[in-house]
Amino acid sequence: MSTSDTSHHDDRIAKMSFASVYPHYVTKVEKKNRTKAELHQVIEWLTGYDEKKLNAIIEAKTNFETFFKEAMLNPNAHLIKGVICGYRVEDITNPTTQQTRYLDKLVDELAKGRKMEKILRS
């Protein structure tokens, strides 16, 4: 299996609710002295979702497939590169899985103390 073949878990990721993962993102960044506001800034940069929309998504238990289908993905999202969960994000072929890993990568960078300008690929 190549490192870009995520087919064995694409379906699981697509069906997973954003609400089920969101608390883990919050815990991860707060443990590293970053804020929920910074997390929301990163999510908004990637998806276009403001805090109000994010809260509605969490409340509705929207799955990742719908989460990204309805998002206005940042035109610079393709600049997110590197390895997350053993996969090179730029090589993942399934769009939902790739976009979910983009988000994971941004959350990781935030937790690792990377400067916001770098995380937001500006």
Side-chain angles (χ1 to χ4, degrees):
M1 177 165 40
S2 80
T3 57
S4 58
D5 179 17
T6 57
S7 57
H8 60 288
H9 65 238
D10 289 341
D11 198 46
R12 186 176 58 84
I13 288 172
K15 287 184 169 59
M16 197 181 303
S17 79
F18 175 78
S20 69
V21 179
Y22 176 76
H24 300 289
Y25 290 155
V26 173
T27 303
K28 184 174 195 163
V29 301
E30 286 182 343
K31 229 188 261 175
K32 300 292 185 171
N33 297 317
R34 298 306 283 258
T35 66
K36 196 167 161 182
E38 288 174 307
L39 173 63
H40 286 194
Q41 186 181 350
V42 166
I43 294 170
E44 187 169 353
W45 176 86
L46 181 63
T47 64
Y49 294 142
D50 62 14
E51 192 153 354
K52 187 177 176 199
K53 178 66 177 162
L54 212 50
N55 289 332
I57 287 166
I58 291 166
E59 208 165 291
K61 297 190 176 8
T62 303
N63 66 26
F64 273 106
E65 185 173 26
T66 305
F67 179 84
F68 282 110
K69 214 173 256 168
E70 294 176 356
M72 291 295 300
L73 206 66
N74 189 294
N76 287 336
H78 71 280
L79 299 174
I80 302 167
K81 301 203 183 314
V83 177
I84 191 88
C85 302
Y87 296 92
R88 188 152 278 292
V89 291
E90 60 270 30
D91 296 338
I92 296 171
T93 52
N94 180 285
T96 303
T97 301
Q98 183 180 52
Q99 292 161 357
T100 304
R101 295 306 184 203
Y102 280 165
L103 181 55
D104 292 342
K105 185 79 179 139
L106 295 177
V107 171
D108 255 20
E109 291 176 0
L110 184 63
K112 286 181 177 151
R114 210 161 177 216
K115 284 185 170 49
M116 197 56 89
E117 314 80 81
K118 296 249 190 247
I119 297 170
L120 304 185
R121 274 62 180 178
S122 39

